[in-house]
Every structure is written in structure tokens, then in C-alpha cells.
Amino acid sequence: MITPGGTIGILGGGQLGRMMAMSAAQMGYRCIAFTPDKDHVVGDVCHDVFVNRWDDRQAMAAFAQKCDVVTWEFENVPVEPLGPLESLLAPHPRALETAQDRLNEKRFVEGLGGTPAPYAPIDSRADLVDAMERIGTPGILKTRRDGYDGKGQWRIDVARDAEGIALPDAPCIYEGFVEFDAEFSVILARTAKGDKVVWDSTANVHEGGMLHTSTLPAGAFVEGQVEEARDLAGQVADALNYIGVLTLEFFATARGPVFNEMAPRVHNSGHWTIEGAATSQFENHIRAVCGLPLGDARTVAPGICMTNIVGKDALDATHWLDDPATHLHLYGKAKAREGRKMGHATQLIWE
Ligand code: AMP
């Protein structure tokens, strides 16, 4: 167990790390972060920030020296340079290796009985032509690595569209387009001993590939699919011997839950848990990686809506506070660039 007063290392400098560090501070831990990003937003709430390239071995070793445990907030942290952190990492980096490659991730989850959209690996135009014939259109071409929030994705409505796409110089995957009624996520926390808690599943609405809102109750259609999705998420967590918060995203379809992707970390669709659950995803992540017991994950209000605040909408975000049941979170990002997640607002709906 890492007792309060100990130091938690966070890989990544984004808003997830910021909110993790705030929970850690509440329980008396100190956080230090490691990020290559000079524009990080963890500095306000971390004791120290190492701004270095991921492959700076010396800096990574110096960082390791200062930490009692190290976790991550960013799932595309390259695994290879993490050698000096090996005995300190929670979760185990095998979770990163599995989730960083869409092909590995789908095969892994399929092996545990999950159902992803039909997919095929794409390394050439001939592969794409074959995949479109076998799987059909519409479909989505995605890079296997480094894509998030809809980046590195090209929708193909008819086979002819593919001719206009310059194939990226990176391995890709083609997925059949899933006709879904809703999207939802399962977010769970697991301790090293295998104890688990799971939060209620929100209905998630995306705009342009990026999460827009997460809402509870999620509605009967989603609720009818949550049990099966939770079983799968629990199996994924056990198979990885996972420690911390793990997220699986699903499409709710007429044929049941279709697995979309997993994130081995706290998740945007769980931000509502800060005010909307007895224990937030951030607090339970910190508890799990420090070897403490998990807190109750139950929802505390009859209705909840979390809305992401993106780009210039952040400039007048205080209007959210006109409703006394709404909580505003701004991540302290200096530039309100278009498409940049700047904050979120969580509205608790009491009647
Ligand atoms: P991803 O980054 O793969 O989670 O994709 C972002 C969003 O794009 C998803 O949450 C869906 O709204 C949409 N999307 C991705 N893949 C598919 C698919 N195979 N079928 C339908 N919609 C998809």
C-alpha cells in the first residue's frame, strides 16, 4: 500500500491527469507528472512536472526515483521507454499494449466473447478493396494506432469514396459501420486483489467523433444491454489483471451490445462521477493504484447530464452556473482552439 504522503507519478499532462491529481491531493498524496507537452494543464495541481520527451531515458529514470507508484492519464504513452518504471506502474503496461492497437484490442476482446463491428486489417489498397467487398459499405477506415476523438478516421459510404482517400502511411483497420440506437460506456475500477465496482452507464452522444454529452438515466434500450457489457468489461479487467479504472465503449444495437473500443484509464464519459456518484472515477483510480479499498460507485441524483465544453464555448462558460445544480469544470487551457476540450459541466437533475 502507498500511504497518504506518498508520491504518485502521472504520465501525461492533460485534464484527466489534472482531475486525478486533485483527487490524490484530497487524500494527502503528492503528484508529479511527466509529459512532453509544454502546454500541459497539470502544473496548477501537481508538485512538479517533468517536461521531457517520452524517450528521454535519463529524465524517465529521474522521474521514477521520485515516485512510489506511477500511473497514466494518456493511453498513447509509448510503452518501450517505460522500462525504468517497470516495478512502479499500475495498471500493468500490458493494458496499454492491448489498447493502443485497434486490431489487437478487437482480437483480445473477441477472444473473451465480445462482439466488435466486423473488421479487417488494412496494409494496402488491395486490402481495402477486399475488406469493402467482404464487410460491405458504409464503413470506417481508422489508423490502428494514435487515433482518438474521431481523429485518424475516414468514413466510406460507397466503395468509390475509397478512391479519393490517400491511405495513411501507417497500418489501418476497416470497420463496418454499426447501425446503433445509442452509445454507452462501462466504467469500472478494479483493485490488485480483484475487487471491482462499476458506475452506472450513461448514454453518450458524440458530435464529429468527439463526446458531446453523457446522460443518466440512459434509457431502457441501453439499460437492457448493460449487464452483458458489464460482464465483458469485468472479464477484460480480470484477463489483464487490471488495477485502476478501465473503460469499454459500446454501441447499443438491435442485436445487443457491440464493442467499440477500450480505454485503459479514466474516461471523459465518467466525468459526471465527480459530483454525480458517491465516489468519483478519479478517486477510485487513485485508491486502486495506491492499494486502498474502493469507494461506493453508486449514483447520487436521479438524473445527470455532463456536457463537454469545446473550443470557444469556454469563453462564456460561466453561464452554466445560472443553474445552481450545475457544476463547472474548466481545465485551465490557455488557447480555446476549435475542437479542443476546454472543460465540462455536470448538471444534477433532482426532479
Ligand atoms: P472511436 O474513436 O473509434 O471511438 O470513434 C469515435 C466515434 O465515431 C464513436 O463513438 C462513434 O460515434 C463513431 N464510430 C466509430 N466507429 C464506428 C462504427 N464502426 N460504426 C458507427 N459509428 C462509429
Side-chain angles (χ1 to χ4, degrees), residues 289-308:
V289 302
C290 290
L292 302 173
L294 298 174
D296 182 354
R298 95 184 62 184
T299 305
V300 297
I304 289 169
C305 184
M306 188 289 308
T307 306
N308 269 341

Side-chain angles (χ1 to χ4, degrees), residues 21-95:
M22 288 159 82
S23 274
Q26 177 195 320
M27 290 184 281
Y29 293 99
R30 295 202 315 178
C31 288
I32 60 175
F34 189 109
T35 173
D37 187 0
K38 285 198 282 301
D39 279 340
H40 62 78
V41 295
V42 290
D44 295 339
V45 292
C46 276
H47 188 70
D48 195 5
V49 185
F50 282 58
V51 180
N52 293 98
R53 290 164 50 116
W54 293 119
D55 61 3
D56 184 336
R57 289 226 143 216
Q58 234 179 327
M60 193 61 88
F63 178 72
Q65 286 264 309
K66 297 198 160 190
C67 298
D68 296 306
V69 62
V70 177
T71 191
W72 58 77
E73 62 100 47
F74 174 63
E75 78 199 69
N76 289 322
V77 176
V79 174
E80 201 274 321
L82 303 183
L85 305 179
E86 204 181 338
S87 61
L88 297 170
L89 278 172
H92 192 280
R94 80 173 74 85

Side-chain angles (χ1 to χ4, degrees), residues 198-218:
V198 60
W199 284 270
D200 281 337
S201 284
T202 53
N204 299 331
V205 174
H206 291 79
E207 279 185 359
M210 184 192 283
L211 185 66
H212 175 48
T213 55
S214 291
T215 307
L216 278 177

